[in-house]
Amino acid sequence: MSTTERAPQSARTAPSRGERIADWTDGRLGIYNFRFLIRKVFPDHWSFMFGEMALYSFVVLILTGLWLTMFFDPSMTETVYHGSHTPLQGIPMSQAYASTIEISFDVRGGLFIRQLHHWSALIMIASLCVHTLRHFLTGSFRKPRELNWLIGFTMLVLVTLEGFVGYSLPDDLLSGTGLRIAEGVTLAIPLVGTYLTLFLFGGEYPGNDVIQRFYSFHILLIPGIVLALVTVHLILVFYHKHTQFRGPGRTENNVVGQPLMPHYTAKAGGFFFLVFGVLALLAGIAQINPVWTYGPYRADQISQGSQPDWYMGFLEGALRAMPAWEFVLPGGYTVNLAVLIPAVVLPTLMMMVIALWPFLEAWVTNDRREHHLLDRPRDHPTRTAFGISFVSLYLVLFFGGANDVLAERFHLSLNQITWAVRIGIFLVPAVTYVVTRRICLGLQRRDRDKLLHGRETGRIRRLPHGEFVEVHARLEREQEYSLLSRDVREVLPAPEATDADGVPNPRARKEMLRHRVSRWLYGNQIPKPTREEMRHALEHLEPGSSHGQISPNGHGPASSNGQVSSNGHLTAGGHAAAGERESGQEVH
């Protein structure tokens, strides 16, 4: 701290060592200028932890991956195994597979690190999937976060690809089968399939270069891109500030939560060690990817019940469900639809729909405002129903990839399971969409009923004329505020074909399309209670009182007398129910 007067030399005290180090660092890095980050506020909600789980799993992946690179040999040169694992003695295999066996049985702690690396990859991808779904259902992708949504979605795709590439490195029989499928999918891409296959495999499958090339992708290219995207993603999170759910004191212009130092740092540090501990526990007690039981890869062999890691199960299911369709173009070029549609077209469409959804909503609503408050999933029934139906499609394909295992374990017909998956691809998402939307609308009706009729207390009262009614109580003010602050979108009006002078509207088709999509997204929702409806409820609860004033957000004043109205509803704490309709009939 600078002063205008210098203290006498005898009154000065020597600065502590920590202060000297801080001053030295600040003189070269200017760290004091970043003290505003200490007061950065983070909302406190359990759903935000999925992103942290993905980040912490990524840290564990980097640390364990660095350790594994010191022992893994990504060579496809053939050797004969003479290691400590007796069942594989004298069997020809690649150097990649032999080094994986050596890590598992001969390197101290090698099996634990291998399994920790694998479990971290699975948990990271699962956390990213749930994290992305949470952002989708709550609408956090709206302006100004469209770019961050694309960055996060790109990370999900890259991490999934990274998992597949790393899964293929041991060159065991199971991963080699997955590589064979990947080679067939690459060849099915029109025009460029053969060139991409040559780039990946270095010639005819399996070739001698695929492991080395995948190894470079796995430890350098993809992790470098993901690390850069994570950095940009976190910077944008800090810049745009965190989103938060609606509630008292929470607006589009502030963030209510805990500061970075010391509260959030302590919680985040504890959560990191919790995630790391769970991953270590899984790595120590739950065996995963035992490559020594599969044996080295041979192109003429495959094991029954081969299943990829869960994140690739949907692709396996799509391939198994697709009929063997193909046709030959003039010139002898074969188009294999049995691979092209399920493994190229379908995943591409699924990714494009999710990636471009924010821009669809922005185009339909023409909303240019910044949004920092989140929606509850029930507040947007169509968006929520679409997201859950998307998940149901993924699950149908996922179980379709295990049709042989299901047939064996449950003694069912393989063909019947396959046909059930083919039908379920179209039927299950449609049914899920309808059911989910009806549930969301039902929850909206319940919220409206609670606002107008209060919550049920479970207390029964007998009125003077002998009728028994349940006592209702007004909602807590915080919950009431959250329900009344729900953002309800209006459906865009249908455009006019011509103007007042009879001139055709040149934008009629585009505006009609926007109107129809808007009606699909925001039509038939349950409206919030109006101020008049809230006032009517309060006036009924407290007749003759002066408590009919309604605040601008639709709330009525709280009461504290604890009396019971003639219909049995409490007047304590404010209104509990609108006991009469406008027609005057009593409602219980």
Side-chain angles (χ1 to χ4, degrees):
M1 178 183 296
S2 62
T3 61
T4 57
E5 298 182 3
R6 297 177 60 87
Q9 187 71 26
S10 59
R12 299 179 190 176
T13 58
S16 63
R17 183 178 181 183
E19 185 177 349
R20 292 197 305 270
I21 294 175
D23 289 338
W24 185 91
T25 307
D26 178 64
R28 290 151 182 81
L29 301 178
I31 59 175
Y32 289 168
N33 294 328
F34 294 96
R35 59 183 178 272
F36 70 93
L37 293 178
I38 297 178
R39 303 306 299 173
K40 179 72 176 177
V41 174
F42 291 81
D44 188 11
H45 195 270
W46 63 268
S47 64
F48 295 175
M49 292 183 176
F50 293 110
E52 297 180 30
M53 288 176 58
L55 179 61
Y56 301 153
S57 300
F58 182 58
V59 173
V60 177
L61 275 171
I62 293 177
L63 296 178
T64 54
L66 289 174
W67 191 92
L68 290 172
T69 55
M70 295 186 291
F71 301 97
F72 182 71
D73 182 7
S75 173
M76 298 187 70
T77 303
E78 187 172 290
T79 185
V80 178
Y81 182 74
H82 296 290
S84 59
H85 188 58
T86 304
L88 294 177
Q89 288 281 355
I91 296 180
M93 61 184 64
S94 65
Q95 290 282 5
Y97 184 75
S99 65
T100 304
I101 299 299
E102 182 182 358
I103 291 173
S104 301
F105 293 105
D106 300 323
V107 177
R108 178 170 295 183
L111 180 59
F112 174 79
I113 298 297
R114 269 196 64 237
Q115 299 200 148
L116 180 60
H117 190 75
H118 203 124
W119 275 115
S120 300
L122 297 184
I123 297 300
M124 180 182 180
I125 298 175
S127 301
L128 279 177
C129 289
V130 180
H131 183 63
T132 303
L133 182 63
R134 196 271 296 182
H135 281 288
F136 182 85
L137 297 180
T138 58
S140 66
F141 50 73
R142 293 171 295 179
K143 183 182 178 181
R145 296 177 179 82
E146 302 96 333
L147 180 60
N148 221 9
W149 167 264
L150 292 178
I151 291 174
F153 184 75
T154 303
M155 282 194 294
L156 175 59
V157 176
L158 287 177
V159 170
T160 303
L161 182 62
E162 170 81 341
F164 173 76
V165 171
Y167 179 77
S168 304
L169 292 181
D171 198 29
D172 59 284
L173 183 59
L174 184 60
S175 66
T177 303
L179 273 179
R180 181 61 169 172
I181 296 174
E183 188 253 357
V185 171
T186 308
L187 282 175
I189 302 176
L191 301 180
V192 298
T194 53
Y195 298 99
L196 290 177
T197 304
L198 180 64
F199 171 72
L200 291 176
F201 296 93
E204 291 291 334
Y205 182 84
N208 297 313
D209 301 325
V210 60
I211 299 298
Q212 292 93 325
R213 296 185 182 189
F214 275 26
Y215 185 68
S216 300
F217 296 159
H218 186 69
I219 68 169
L220 292 176
L221 180 61
I222 301 179
I225 297 175
V226 172
L227 185 60
L229 291 177
V230 167
T231 304
V232 176
H233 185 75
L234 294 178
I235 291 174
L236 289 178
V237 168
F238 268 78
Y239 176 71
H240 292 144
K241 73 185 180 183
H242 278 271
T243 54
Q244 58 188 346
F245 286 95
R246 302 176 186 273
R250 301 174 183 179
T251 68
E252 299 283 6
N253 301 315
N254 70 345
V255 178
V256 178
Q258 298 176 339
L260 176 63
M261 294 289 293
H263 301 82
Y264 181 78
T265 304
K267 291 177 61 177
F271 189 53
F272 168 76
F273 288 108
L274 179 63
V275 172
F276 181 80
V278 172
L279 290 175
L281 182 64
L282 287 173
I285 65 175
Q287 178 177 275
I288 190 170
N289 197 26
V291 295
W292 54 89
T293 64
Y294 308 141
Y297 177 70
R298 287 183 53 180
D300 61 338
Q301 292 183 355
I302 186 173
S303 58
Q304 189 273 339
S306 298
Q307 300 292 315
D309 277 340
W310 71 266
Y311 51 85
M312 299 301 296
F314 83 101
L315 188 63
E316 178 85 4
L319 286 168
R320 296 188 183 191
M322 184 68 188
W325 294 348
E326 66 178 30
F327 61 90
V328 180
L329 295 175
Y333 188 87
T334 301
V335 178
N336 190 348
L337 297 180
V339 178
L340 179 64
I341 292 178
V344 179
V345 177
L346 179 62
T348 302
L349 289 177
M350 293 172 68
M351 290 188 294
M352 287 182 61
V353 168
I354 296 300
L356 299 180
W357 184 274
F359 304 96
L360 171 66
E361 283 199 14
W363 175 75
V364 171
T365 61
N366 199 25
D367 186 2
R368 303 183 185 278
R369 300 173 299 165
E370 289 193 0
H371 293 273
H372 303 289
L373 292 177
L374 298 173
D375 301 319
R376 295 184 306 167
R378 70 184 67 176
D379 294 341
H380 284 266
T382 301
R383 181 207 293 158
T384 301
F386 183 86
I388 301 302
S389 65
F390 187 92
V391 174
S392 69
L393 172 62
Y394 184 94
L395 293 177
V396 169
L397 295 176
F398 172 80
F399 287 108
N403 58 357
D404 55 340
V405 177
L406 295 175
E408 178 189 8
R409 295 296 175 88
F410 295 98
H411 306 287
L412 300 174
S413 168
L414 179 65
N415 291 332
Q416 290 179 354
I417 295 177
T418 302
W419 273 105
V421 171
R422 291 173 178 174
I423 298 173
I425 289 174
F426 301 97
L427 181 62
V428 172
V431 174
T432 303
Y433 175 87
V434 174
V435 172
T436 304
R437 195 172 190 279
R438 298 306 303 174
I439 291 176
C440 291
L441 292 175
L443 292 174
Q444 287 187 7
R445 289 190 180 93
R446 189 186 68 172
D447 292 342
R448 177 183 171 87
D449 183 74
K450 283 184 177 181
L451 286 170
L452 294 178
H453 296 266
R455 61 179 178 84
E456 298 177 352
T457 63
R459 295 162 53 192
I460 306 299
R461 283 186 178 271
R462 183 179 182 183
L463 300 183
H465 60 275
E467 180 183 3
F468 289 92
V469 295
E470 182 178 12
V471 176
H472 285 214
R474 183 179 179 176
L475 299 177
E476 297 293 336
R477 296 304 299 271
E478 180 177 354
Q479 183 182 5
E480 191 177 73
Y481 179 91
S482 301
L483 296 180
L484 285 171
S485 62
R486 175 167 64 96
D487 186 18
V488 180
R489 292 283 182 181
E490 298 292 337
V491 178
L492 294 179
E496 298 291 340
T498 59
D499 59 15
D501 298 327
V503 179
N505 182 6
R507 300 169 58 87
R509 285 190 176 182
K510 182 178 179 180
E511 292 178 355
M512 179 57 70
L513 178 61
R514 287 183 60 188
H515 163 70
R516 290 175 178 173
V517 178
S518 175
R519 185 175 59 187
W520 171 63
L521 281 175
Y522 306 112
N524 300 322
Q525 295 199 45
I526 307 302
K528 295 186 299 184
T530 63
R531 295 182 62 189
E532 290 72 16
E533 289 173 326
M534 295 292 292
R535 181 182 293 110
H536 177 73
L538 292 177
E539 290 175 350
H540 173 75
L541 289 170
E542 299 181 4
S545 69
S546 59
H547 288 212
Q549 298 295 327
I550 305 295
S551 59
N553 62 6
H555 290 279
S559 173
S560 59
N561 53 23
Q563 297 178 357
V564 181
S565 62
S566 60
N567 63 358
H569 293 172
L570 280 180
T571 59
H575 84 277
E580 296 181 358
R581 300 184 186 274
E582 295 184 1
S583 61
Q585 297 178 353
E586 190 172 0
V587 179
H588 300 287

